[in-house]
Amino acid sequence: MGTKLSLVPMKRFFTIIASLLVASLVYSDAERKPVPLKRGSGADVLYFDFGESAPKTFFQSEKLQEPKLEDLKLGFLDAAPGYYSGPDGGEVYQWAKNHYQWKRADGSVFTEWPTGIFKLDFPTGIGFVYAPAPPNCNGCSPTLVWNYPDNTKITKYWIANRKEYDTIYQKPLDFQNFLLVDETKFGKPKLEVENLIFYGSDKWNEFLRAFGDEGKTKFLFSYLKYEFGFENRGKIPVLLFDDHSSAKEYVGFDLPGAHQGELGLGGKDALVVCCGDSMPEKTGNPKFDADSLRRVNFSMVLQKLTRNIEQVSCMKTIAETGKAPTEEIVDPWFEEGFPTYIESRFNDRKKIWLYTEIEKLIRENKVPKSFKSLLDAKYKDNLPYTMGAILAKHLHDVYGKDSIIAYQKETCLGLGSILALQKITGKNPDTLLKDSIKQFETDEIGILKFAKPLSMMGMTVMDPKFPTEFKVFLEKGFSLKESAKEIKSYDEIPNLSRIFTANVEDYSGKREGDFLGPGKSYFFLWKKGNYRWYGEGWEANVFPGNQIVFRGSNFTIVEWEDGKKQYVAPNGSSVIFQNRETAQYSD
């Protein structure tokens, strides 16, 4: 009974308190000082619509509304902290000069910081962020970011050397980060393979026609994903440049290891590949055109693609953990070495190049004596591509795929190379480097023994004009007397023109380089038209006019176009047949 009586005064008390609070709030709103827009008290408040999802083409991104600070900035008369009333009636709170928040009538929230950064957020999760260019970047424009509820964003980065924006579609949690290509500059896509999209001139037509079969991108994507967890699910633009200077102008710096005929960059937004003016073009000669394509380095795309996928995977790690590194980790041995190692797994020619270059470094005493010296050398002597590759291989072979995964994650989040290797392997990086060289020297014996056939894998096989006779030579060689004085007839000296003349008509004057030969033979053609057959312990040089010089095990045979022959025996004696009937002997 007493409890019920006491409730009446309590109800009255709460009613009085509530009334006082409402009155206080009304009074407070009425007393808030209004703040006009900086551009004028009578100016209209501008409202923005960024769409419900991030655009996926450059053309769509160009239609995005871009809020300007001058459109949104409020004109405070003083810097006193406190609540104010915005030009649309929305609530404004100022912390300090140029640092305030405006809750706008459309539900969006505008915030400005003294650093010049501002953002505009909507309750739906859509928003815009403006970050001014660093003060030391003369003439640079700000970074602009449009955010969307599904964690996608469009980011416009100012590229100082080109004085233009790169527009990037980003969804790091889903392994996506790619350049939205301006097709008014690069043209329509010329080829799509997996999620690679190639842009370039007609100079790349033959490259692109063959790339789908030769590129091995499907195997690379699968291998990187299932072996290391590295992935890129987004589009991957491949920008194909025709000459070295235009590619360099685009990226803004000299690429380490690049030369006039070949250049590549595996950026996290796109791949840059050069050079179209060294790519094969159709000549109308099917044999020559097929040979030209066999000489193209398709695997370079795999190397640059590996670097791209690794970087996108790093972005996902940062997005998941929220632990962006405070400073960039300079890590060229892994950035270049790991992709080179992966490329060498997919391409025997690259593997032979790698082992040959490392053997040369060891022979010339240019191998870094410590891991720090490897880092300090940066790109000198292409060390990241060579020593970095065998160090990556050593980690993978000895410590397993988890060591690669862990190293990439640790350095991605900001741990230095030396500490990361020590943490993962428990060994001093100097020891790891030395162990990797020892492993290479063991592997080298097996690999470089087959250097020639592996380096020419897939090359054109040159046809001898008389394949049967050539085959017999490869199987049986020549049976000749130890002394030239024992040669009594013209026919005892082999007919070289029936064995070693080749079908070079499709290539002579247009091609210089190696070819494979039938069986265990090889072939080299000079542009002037002379050529050489060779194998283990022998070589046959064919000169214009079909003079042929054969050198075998301590003997030489020469044949002239008019049929004259000479045999120089292992004991140094010689015989020349001017014709079938006339022989001239000498000691």
Side-chain angles (χ1 to χ4, degrees):
M1 213 40 198
T3 303
K4 287 182 181 180
L5 287 172
S6 67
L7 283 175
V8 177
M10 288 298 289
K11 284 181 181 180
R12 287 177 181 169
F13 174 76
F14 283 124
T15 302
I16 292 167
I17 292 297
S19 300
L20 288 172
L21 284 172
V22 170
S24 173
L25 287 171
V26 171
Y27 177 77
S28 176
D29 283 339
E31 287 298 307
R32 286 179 186 166
K33 292 180 182 179
V35 182
L37 289 164
K38 179 80 172 177
R39 53 193 169 91
S41 57
D44 292 333
V45 174
L46 299 182
Y47 297 100
F48 300 91
D49 183 359
F50 306 134
E52 295 181 358
S53 59
K56 287 194 173 183
T57 70
F58 180 82
F59 177 71
Q60 292 171 337
S61 72
E62 286 295 278
K63 295 181 178 180
L64 281 172
Q65 290 181 305
E66 181 189 327
K68 307 286 188 183
L69 183 58
E70 57 265 28
D71 295 333
L72 294 161
K73 190 175 182 67
L74 297 180
F76 290 90
L77 295 177
D78 58 59
Y83 287 95
Y84 296 81
S85 178
D88 60 350
E91 180 183 279
V92 177
Y93 186 82
Q94 179 175 233
W95 289 277
K97 185 179 180 180
N98 295 326
H99 188 195
Y100 59 91
Q101 189 176 82
W102 171 19
K103 295 180 179 178
R104 291 154 46 95
D106 65 345
S108 63
V109 178
F110 171 71
T111 308
E112 182 185 354
W113 283 267
T115 55
I117 295 173
F118 73 83
K119 67 174 183 173
L120 183 65
D121 293 318
F122 290 85
T124 57
I126 296 171
F128 174 82
V129 179
Y130 170 105
N136 60 349
C137 189
N138 187 29
C140 292
S141 292
T143 298
L144 312 174
V145 184
W146 288 261
N147 293 296
Y148 293 88
D150 62 351
N151 293 316
T152 58
K153 62 175 66 177
I154 297 294
T155 302
K156 288 191 175 184
Y157 293 108
W158 181 252
I159 308 302
N161 63 287
R162 283 187 265 128
K163 295 181 172 56
E164 64 181 8
Y165 276 109
D166 270 355
T167 304
I168 314 298
Y169 177 96
Q170 296 174 309
K171 196 174 184 180
L173 288 172
D174 193 41
F175 293 102
Q176 294 192 57
N177 184 88
F178 55 87
L179 175 73
L180 298 182
V181 176
D182 182 354
E183 294 181 359
T184 63
K185 293 182 178 179
F186 290 95
K188 295 288 184 184
K190 296 183 76 72
L191 176 71
E192 295 190 27
V193 178
E194 303 298 321
N195 52 342
L196 279 80
I197 305 174
F198 291 82
Y199 298 84
S201 75
D202 289 344
K203 289 182 180 292
W204 291 88
N205 285 354
E206 284 299 282
F207 175 94
L208 294 174
R209 186 174 66 81
F211 184 84
D213 295 327
E214 301 288 343
K216 301 180 182 177
T217 53
K218 183 176 182 179
F219 299 106
L220 178 70
F221 277 108
S222 297
Y223 180 73
L224 291 176
K225 178 180 178 180
Y226 292 108
E227 183 71 2
F228 305 108
F230 300 162
E231 193 174 357
N232 187 337
R233 297 175 187 168
K235 298 176 184 178
I236 306 174
V238 185
L239 309 179
L240 305 170
F241 287 86
D242 288 340
D243 56 78
H244 189 276
S245 60
S246 61
K248 178 184 172 183
E249 183 180 345
Y250 181 81
V251 299
F253 52 88
D254 273 316
L255 292 174
H259 55 78
Q260 288 299 116
E262 185 176 292
L263 174 152
L265 175 68
K268 63 180 178 296
D269 309 323
L271 311 187
V272 172
V273 181
C274 190
C275 294
D277 54 14
S278 64
M279 288 298 114
E281 296 182 20
K282 272 195 173 182
T283 65
N285 182 325
K287 284 189 176 181
F288 184 85
D289 292 344
D291 176 70
S292 297
L293 285 172
R294 291 189 181 105
R295 296 173 188 277
V296 173
N297 183 10
F298 292 105
S299 77
M300 184 179 71
V301 175
L302 300 187
Q303 184 192 36
K304 308 312 171 190
L305 183 55
T306 299
R307 177 69 182 125
N308 166 270
I309 293 173
E310 184 269 317
Q311 288 179 91
V312 170
S313 298
C314 175
M315 292 184 73
K316 182 175 189 292
T317 297
I318 291 172
E320 285 177 332
T321 60
K323 298 178 180 178
T326 54
E327 60 182 34
E328 184 181 359
I329 299 298
V330 180
D331 196 19
W333 84 263
F334 185 78
E335 292 171 358
E336 306 298 349
F338 176 71
T340 301
Y341 162 58
I342 295 298
E343 182 191 4
S344 72
R345 291 181 65 96
F346 283 81
N347 186 282
D348 287 325
R349 289 190 210 171
K350 186 68 175 188
K351 183 181 293 183
I352 293 302
W353 172 88
L354 175 62
Y355 276 65
T356 302
E357 288 296 303
I358 297 170
E359 188 277 332
K360 182 180 176 184
L361 288 172
I362 293 173
R363 183 165 24 91
E364 295 179 354
N365 199 29
K366 291 182 178 179
V367 174
K369 299 298 187 288
S370 68
F371 183 75
K372 185 178 183 302
S373 63
L374 173 62
L375 295 181
D376 291 343
K378 296 181 180 178
Y379 288 91
K380 183 182 178 183
D381 296 321
N382 284 336
L383 289 174
Y385 299 89
T386 52
M387 301 307 300
I390 64 163
L391 183 52
K393 181 181 186 301
H394 180 72
L395 285 178
H396 194 199
D397 289 348
V398 177
Y399 298 92
K401 64 182 182 181
D402 288 341
S403 67
I404 299 290
I405 296 168
Y407 180 85
Q408 191 259 5
K409 183 174 181 179
E410 293 289 353
T411 52
C412 175
L413 295 177
L415 189 62
S417 297
I418 293 175
L419 292 176
L421 283 173
Q422 288 175 332
K423 179 178 179 180
I424 292 157
T425 65
K427 280 194 172 183
N428 186 300
D430 293 349
T431 303
L432 292 172
L433 183 60
K434 290 175 184 175
D435 289 348
S436 71
I437 294 169
K438 286 180 183 177
Q439 182 187 357
F440 162 76
E441 290 174 333
T442 302
D443 294 345
E444 175 196 4
I445 298 171
I447 295 293
L448 291 183
K449 185 167 62 174
F450 302 104
K452 195 66 181 179
L454 286 174
S455 67
M456 297 176 68
M457 189 72 69
M459 298 286 274
T460 300
V461 178
M462 180 57 71
D463 296 321
K465 285 193 173 181
F466 305 100
T468 301
E469 287 84 342
F470 191 82
K471 181 180 179 184
V472 170
F473 161 74
L474 291 178
E475 291 174 351
K476 299 181 179 180
F478 292 142
S479 179
L480 291 163
K481 304 290 174 52
E482 285 293 317
S483 172
K485 292 182 179 181
E486 298 178 51
I487 303 290
K488 300 303 181 183
S489 72
Y490 180 90
D491 290 330
E492 287 183 70
I493 300 177
N495 186 340
L496 300 183
S497 62
R498 287 289 300 180
I499 300 171
F500 297 114
T501 52
N503 291 313
V504 296
E505 293 77 14
D506 291 314
Y507 313 102
S508 185
K510 297 178 290 185
R511 170 78 72 237
E512 181 169 293
D514 281 300
F515 292 76
L516 280 171
K520 294 182 179 180
S521 69
Y522 305 99
F523 187 92
F524 190 92
L525 174 66
W526 282 270
K527 232 173 187 178
K528 290 182 179 179
N530 52 313
Y531 51 87
R532 174 187 296 163
W533 292 100
Y534 60 103
E536 189 173 347
W538 64 272
E539 66 175 45
N541 287 279
V542 182
F543 299 93
N546 281 348
Q547 178 182 334
I548 303 174
V549 179
F550 177 90
R551 293 184 177 88
S553 300
N554 299 318
F555 69 90
T556 302
I557 302 172
V558 183
E559 180 177 294
W560 286 266
E561 186 179 16
D562 59 5
K564 182 171 71 172
K565 295 181 184 179
Q566 180 183 21
Y567 171 54
V568 180
N571 67 355
S573 60
S574 170
V575 60
I576 294 180
F577 284 87
Q578 299 290 345
N579 50 50
R580 287 184 169 276
E581 290 76 29
T582 307
Q584 182 180 351
Y585 297 91
S586 66
D587 295 330

